[in-house]
Structures are given as C-alpha cells and as structure tokens.
C-alpha cells in the first residue's frame, strides 16, 4: 500500500527539477505551450511514493501498483498535444493508473471521466490528496472496462487511451462527438504506434499515425484482487 503523506510539499527543489524536465521535453520536440504549462503546474512527485521524489522528474515511465506504470512525461506530453484539449472539453480517459494524466487534463480546463480496470489502482486514488481535492463535477472516476467506455457520460469531445490497444474499440468511436478526436496507442509488433482519429459528420473517420511508443496492454474486463 502506498503511504500518501498529506503534508507533501512542492518545494523550490521540486519546481527546479520540473523546470528542467520541461526544458528536456522542449528539446525533444514538444512545443505546445499549454501542455508544457500544465506539466509545469502538476507536481508529478505527488503521484509517487516519497522515496522516489527525484525519479518523478526523470523522463521515464515508472512502476506503480498492480504491475502497471505511470506513463513517461514525454508520452503524456505527446498524447496530450495530439488531443488538443480546450477548456470545457469533456474528455474520456481509458487507464486512470496513477491519476497523473487526469491531473494534466484537468489543469488544461477539461472535464475528465476516467476508467480503470484494476480495482487496486482505482481504490488507491481515494487516498491521494491531489486527486481527492478535485471537485466531483470536474472529475468522474470509474472502475470498469475501457473497451465499453461510458455510455452515460457520452458523447465526448476527446478520448485518450493510455494503454496499448489491439484495436480502436468501436464503442469509443460511437461515444465520440462529430469532429471529436481519439488518441490511442495501437499494438504493432513489440511497439505501439500512436494513432489520432478524427470523426467526420457521416460517422467515418480520418487517421494519422505517429512514431513508436511502449505501453502496458489494454486488457478486456476488470481485475479485482
Ligand atoms: N494514465 C495513466 C497511465 C497508467 S498505465 C497514468 O497517468 O498514470 C495504463 C493503465 O491502463 C493501467 O493502470 C491499466 O490497468 C489500465 N488499463 C488497461 N486496460 C484497461 C481497460 N480495458 N480499461 C480501463 N483501464 C485499463
């Protein structure tokens, strides 16, 4: 179990490490200022056990509970840039994990509906002050299967999948507004190629693909210990 410390602080040292991380992301080609501002605003170390404070500001993925990972900052920045989040957008996230990606979307002014299939991870976030303080009107969290999405909260302006999917789940395309965007890593050999799908008025869609990433797999159903 994680030992969340209610008194965690965002020190000048943390902020300095975060600034250096953001500069590193710029050097790697991330240039969406709104995304970079959001990553600067969210203390990533709050999503780690205290002993991993410094690692939180390295540009890499890191293990969390239930054999899952918190995505690499570059990946979060890349996916969020593709999503082109506007304040007021209703965004569905598949794969809540640590809650970090949700926090970045919230920071950009989105209303976030997020689904996690691992019960352990779903419960753990209840003990996490950063996420716990967010008003329920801005963030809805569900334990469930992302292949099914959330019929009751559809339609969505944007959908982001943060696990490597075998296909674009048809239900998620149905739950997307016309003109809406899905950003999804699709499994291909050892890697995942990033796909951006934009839905047309007649229900068809355009796709663009981007370079290789690596994700934990999107699995069907739910898992309870
Ligand atoms: N967005 C997360 C990334 C976590 S890793 C973060 O910022 O930390 C991806 C997550 O997707 C894992 O927690 C995994 O359990 C979850 N996942 C995998 N398949 C899923 C599915 N079908 N529905 C919902 N969540 C799923």
């Amino acid at each position: 179990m994680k030992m969340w410390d209610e008194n965690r602080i965002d020190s000048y040292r943390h902020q300095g490490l975060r600034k250096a991380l953001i500069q590193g992301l710029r050097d790697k080609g991330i240039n969406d200022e709104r995304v970079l501002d959001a990553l600067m605003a969210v203390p990533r170390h709050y999503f780690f056990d205290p002993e991993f404070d410094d690692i939180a500001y390295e540009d890499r993925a890191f293990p969390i509970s239930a054999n899952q990972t918190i995505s690499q900052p570059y990946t979060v920045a890349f996916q969020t840039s593709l999503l082109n989040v506007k304040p007021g957008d209703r965004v569905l996230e598949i794969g809540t994990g640590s809650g970090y990606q949700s926090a970045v979307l919230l920071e950009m002014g989105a209303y976030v509906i997020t689904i996690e299939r691992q019960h352990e991870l779903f419960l753990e976030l209840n003990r996490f002050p950063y996420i716990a303080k967010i008003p329920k009107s801005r963030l809805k969290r569900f334990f469930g299967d992302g292949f099914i999405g959330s019929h009751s909260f559809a339609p969505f302006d944007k959908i982001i999948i943060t696990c490597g999917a075998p296909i674009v789940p048809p239900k998620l395309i149905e739950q997307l507004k016309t003109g809406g965007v899905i950003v999804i890593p699709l499994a291909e050999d050892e890697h995942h190629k990033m796909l951006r799908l934009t839905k047309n008025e007649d229900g068809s869609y355009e796709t663009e693909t981007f370079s290789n990433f690596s994700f934990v797999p999107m699995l069907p159903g739910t898992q309870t210990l």
Side-chain angles (χ1 to χ4, degrees):
M1 263 299 194
K2 281 198 166 75
M3 303 285 288
W4 295 120
D5 177 356
E6 293 284 338
N7 301 314
R8 298 231 16 216
I9 54 155
D10 189 26
S11 68
Y12 286 126
R13 195 179 65 83
H14 292 119
Q15 289 167 34
L17 288 170
R18 199 148 70 244
K19 241 185 190 142
L21 170 66
I22 304 301
Q23 187 53 49
L25 296 177
R26 277 186 203 283
D27 296 344
K28 289 175 187 171
I30 303 293
N31 57 15
D32 184 328
E33 294 302 325
R34 291 175 51 245
V35 171
L36 292 169
D37 285 352
L39 266 78
M40 188 62 214
V42 178
R44 192 166 187 266
H45 65 285
Y46 285 6
F47 298 78
F48 287 67
D49 286 332
E51 65 266 35
F52 298 125
D53 260 22
D54 288 357
I55 290 172
Y57 293 107
E58 289 177 15
D59 188 19
R60 60 162 160 131
F62 198 72
I64 54 175
S65 303
N67 287 326
Q68 301 304 314
T69 55
I70 176 169
S71 300
Q72 182 181 348
Y74 176 78
T75 304
V76 172
F78 194 90
Q79 284 197 281
T80 312
S81 301
L82 288 182
L83 208 59
N84 193 19
V85 180
K86 297 278 186 319
D89 272 356
R90 189 197 270 276
V91 180
L92 174 67
E93 178 194 22
I94 308 302
T96 317
S98 68
Y100 178 67
Q101 173 74 69
S102 307
V104 169
L105 295 169
L106 287 160
E107 189 58 46
M108 294 182 74
Y111 290 87
V112 178
I113 294 94
T114 183
I115 304 177
E116 173 56 56
R117 72 178 291 280
Q118 293 274 358
H119 201 238
E120 182 183 353
L121 286 174
F122 173 75
L123 288 182
E124 221 170 53
L125 284 196
N126 292 333
R127 306 176 59 230
F128 181 37
Y130 189 95
I131 292 289
K133 279 185 201 137
I134 293 163
K136 293 225 172 1
S137 61
R138 297 284 315 283
L139 175 67
K140 307 258 186 250
R141 301 201 301 108
F142 296 102
F143 168 57
D145 179 1
F147 279 99
I148 294 163
S150 170
H151 188 67
S152 40
F153 283 92
F156 303 101
D157 297 288
K158 313 276 160 69
I159 301 179
I160 179 171
I161 290 91
T162 68
C163 34
I167 53 158
V168 184
K171 286 210 162 63
L172 298 187
I173 300 178
E174 276 170 31
Q175 291 170 18
L176 186 66
K177 282 187 193 170
T178 298
V181 167
I182 298 181
V183 173
I184 180 166
L186 271 189
E188 196 183 62
D189 304 326
E190 301 288 281
H191 294 284
H192 298 96
K193 61 178 180 190
M194 195 65 74
L195 195 84
R196 176 162 63 181
L197 178 156
T198 308
K199 191 172 181 180
N200 299 322
E201 236 163 76
D202 61 3
S204 67
Y205 49 84
E206 315 292 334
T207 57
E208 302 157 87
T209 46
F210 301 87
S211 53
N212 288 338
F213 290 85
S214 189
F215 284 85
V216 295
M218 180 171 188
L219 300 171
T222 54
Q223 173 137 13
T224 314
L225 274 187

